[in-house]
Amino acid sequence: MALTLNDKYIKDFVNEEEFKAIQSEISAAHKTLLDGSGEGSDFLGWIDLPKNYDKEEFARIKVAAEKIKKSCDVFVVIGIGGSYLGARAVIEFLKSPMYNNLKKDTPDIYFSGCNISAGALSELLEICEGKDVCINVISKSGTTTEPAVAFRVFRAMLEKKYGVEGARERIFVTTDKARGTLKQFSDEAGYETFVVPDDVGGRFSVLTAVGLLPIAVAGIDIDGLMKGAADAADAYKATDKIEESDCMKYVAYRNLMYRGGKSCEILVNYEPYAAMLNEWWKQLYGESEGKDKKGLFPASVIFSTDLHSLGQFVQDGSRNLFETVVSVKACDKSFPIPFDEANVDGLNFLAGVELDEVNKTAMRGTILAHIDGGTPNMLIEIDDRSAYSVGQLLYFFEFACGVSGYVLGVNPFNQPGVEAYKKNMFALLGKPGYESQKAELEARLK
Ligand code: PA5
């Protein structure tokens, strides 16, 4: 495996008997997930996805990605939540958060429809001026407000610029295979469509066309990504034993932490390229476990940046935290610290030392400081910054999430809480059918 979990910095925080005792719960949850006997079992398609995917569509994704690469300077990915976070996480992790500013032979990629900001939409339209543009609208339901608004705007922009026929060649739609207005509209308009499988929820969809098309446009090896995930699937499905599976070990510790009063898990990275991976992870765990008044609050930091902002709290604030650190063992960039004659900063003792070694030393020192302060740490290491390793990491978190949700006693595959804000927003905006709620909500806002 390209992924290992080191529990050296957390095991002293856990009672040995409790650690042994949770095995039976994990075995039961592992079985429930794999035999599909739990709540939400209509949404288990992601489990076998790394092997059991639509090969014809996978080939079509590659062809479409090449077409997009050739025909545009700017590729706009329109989607929200599970319909954009996975793609953005993988692109930033494997390319760069500064991908758009680097020299490359692939288009700039921007994400839209993931907020309701007039400023963000206007700025992106301005960026697109004078450039060739393609778009990929991604929405399983096809009716989510944020991407629907952005799609209206970009479709109109493309039709004005290229005409209806020209725009047709530049609009790619990823949605439900049969149901829904977006599918019907796309078929009528003649757009190329890709499928969000019925049995895969948004936050588990990164290894479908939802994630794969944008990831392929960025020039990332999607075969490697799938292979990494497939190897992880084989390993994690094969055993429910905590001592044999790092994935089940992660489930055990995070549930024991929760029971011991740690209500917040912080995902920690030491690389800015992992910031969106953190966001993907937060959605995965937040939407899967945060229900029925239960669940760990998933938070994230990028160190050492945030050691200068949140570090004080993690070291010394409320003791309801534990950290899961994700680290890439091999650094793909050599950057020795330069010698400086003046040595004003007194750092010449580090001259010639690789910057990554300083970063890893900061990580080791911080882990020790935080456990001394009462914040347990787990360390997940992947071998390198490759599509294969990232595929394993994605699957590790997905599989752990499914099992962990059942250990917690929730349905990990629904998200009823997401609807509450939508109902209020639509009522306040005067959507037909919401008249009585509108008056009631307006009275409360007075
Ligand atoms: O994980 C989920 O199910 C959600 O985050 C959805 O992906 C998000 O709400 C977008 O939904 P849709 O793809 O239907 O536009």
Side-chain angles (χ1 to χ4, degrees):
M1 295 291 289
L3 183 152
T4 51
L5 184 145
N6 181 346
D7 65 351
K8 185 173 157 58
Y9 311 107
I10 195 168
K11 61 172 174 223
D12 291 346
F13 290 87
V14 167
N15 174 300
E16 221 174 291
E17 291 313 308
E18 281 172 359
F19 189 73
K20 279 189 197 141
I22 202 170
Q23 176 65 68
S24 58
E25 291 177 61
I26 287 185
S27 298
H30 187 275
K31 183 171 179 305
T32 301
L33 183 72
L34 289 187
D35 67 17
S37 59
E39 279 190 291
S41 57
D42 289 351
F43 289 96
L44 299 181
W46 59 272
I47 295 177
D48 293 318
L49 204 52
K51 283 188 174 168
N52 185 19
Y53 57 89
D54 180 341
K55 310 287 186 301
E56 181 276 325
E57 184 181 70
F58 192 80
R60 212 156 48 77
I61 287 171
K62 289 183 179 173
V63 173
E66 287 310 311
K67 181 176 167 188
I68 292 165
K69 281 193 226 173
K70 283 196 193 100
S71 45
C72 69
D73 312 303
V74 174
F75 180 51
V76 179
V77 179
I78 297 172
I80 195 164
S83 288
Y84 99 104
L85 281 165
R88 189 162 178 188
V90 173
I91 293 169
E92 292 204 6
F93 198 98
L94 290 175
K95 292 291 176 176
S96 166
M98 292 185 271
Y99 164 86
N100 286 343
N101 305 99
L102 294 171
K103 277 197 203 128
K104 59 190 178 303
D105 56 4
T106 49
D108 287 351
I109 300 178
Y110 288 93
F111 293 88
S112 186
C114 46
N115 52 55
I116 322 178
S117 161
L121 197 50
S122 312
E123 285 157 18
L124 185 51
L125 282 172
E126 207 177 300
I127 286 168
C128 289
E129 272 171 31
K131 309 251 174 71
D132 277 319
V133 178
C134 288
I135 67 172
N136 178 201
V137 57
I138 307 169
S139 179
K140 182 166 180 166
S141 63
T143 55
T144 309
T145 309
E146 292 89 339
V149 170
F151 184 39
R152 281 182 175 219
V153 170
F154 279 96
R155 200 175 75 241
M157 185 272 265
L158 291 175
E159 289 183 352
K160 189 165 168 220
K161 191 173 163 117
Y162 301 104
V164 173
E165 296 287 311
R168 180 178 299 146
E169 297 304 308
R170 294 174 175 276
I171 296 175
F172 298 82
V173 177
T174 308
T175 189
D176 190 90
K177 96 169 159 302
R179 289 187 304 257
T181 48
L182 185 56
K183 173 66 181 159
Q184 198 187 329
F185 178 78
S186 303
D187 286 346
E188 283 163 16
Y191 303 146
E192 178 159 14
T193 60
F194 298 92
V195 173
V196 191
D198 283 346
D199 55 358
V200 180
R203 58 189 175 276
F204 289 86
S205 69
V206 57
L207 299 175
T208 70
V210 171
L212 295 176
L213 179 58
I215 290 169
V217 172
I220 291 166
D221 168 21
I222 58 172
D223 291 292
L225 195 70
M226 295 301 263
K227 174 79 174 101
D231 288 351
D234 285 345
Y236 303 146
K237 283 163 67 180
T239 177
D240 58 17
K241 298 283 175 292
I242 298 171
E243 290 309 336
E244 291 167 14
S245 166
D246 282 337
C247 190
M248 293 306 99
K249 199 174 273 178
Y250 176 58
V251 175
Y253 279 116
R254 63 193 305 282
N255 277 280
L256 289 170
M257 289 288 115
Y258 179 63
R259 291 172 194 184
K262 303 289 188 193
S263 56
C264 175
E265 176 177 8
I266 309 177
L267 195 72
V268 181
N269 278 283
Y270 283 74
E271 292 284 354
Y273 62 67
M276 288 308 298
L277 178 82
N278 287 351
E279 298 307 310
W280 172 83
W281 174 88
K282 285 194 279 195
Q283 189 209 0
L284 182 64
Y285 281 87
E287 261 187 18
S288 300
E289 293 195 321
K291 52 197 71 158
D292 306 338
K293 309 292 175 274
K294 296 183 195 175
L296 285 160
F297 182 77
S300 69
V301 290
I302 298 290
F303 289 161
S304 67
T305 311
D306 294 330
L307 285 173
H308 297 259
S309 56
L310 291 170
Q312 168 63 36
F313 195 109
V314 180
Q315 183 68 45
D316 206 21
S318 309
R319 297 297 73 194
N320 63 336
L321 314 170
F322 70 98
E323 292 172 291
T324 299
V325 182
V326 174
S327 174
V328 178
K329 282 195 211 160
C331 180
D332 51 354
K333 297 276 186 294
S334 171
F335 205 115
I337 294 184
F339 177 79
D340 181 10
E341 196 67 52
N343 197 25
V344 183
D345 48 21
L347 287 180
N348 271 351
F349 76 102
L350 289 176
V353 176
E354 284 290 336
L355 199 52
D356 187 58
E357 183 48 32
V358 179
N359 201 20
K360 297 266 178 14
T361 307
M363 178 183 83
R364 291 178 205 115
T366 304
I367 289 174
L368 294 180
H370 286 181
I371 62 170
D372 289 346
T375 301
N377 270 238
M378 266 180 280
L379 175 60
I380 294 169
E381 292 178 297
I382 56 171
D383 285 348
D384 50 26
R385 198 178 167 194
S386 66
Y388 178 82
S389 294
V390 170
Q392 288 207 349
L393 184 63
L394 295 173
Y395 196 89
F396 172 91
F397 280 131
E398 287 183 350
F399 196 80
C401 186
V403 177
S404 187
Y406 285 140
V407 170
L408 186 65
V410 298
N411 173 356
F413 305 111
N414 65 2
Q415 53 283 330
V418 180
E419 294 310 310
Y421 98 89
K422 291 185 192 169
K423 282 187 198 141
N424 285 357
M425 180 179 75
F426 287 137
L428 288 167
L429 286 169
K431 186 171 178 174
Y434 288 80
E435 290 77 8
S436 61
Q437 293 98 313
K438 180 175 165 65
E440 184 211 319
L441 292 170
E442 279 175 347
R444 284 174 60 197
L445 289 173
K446 274 186 191 142

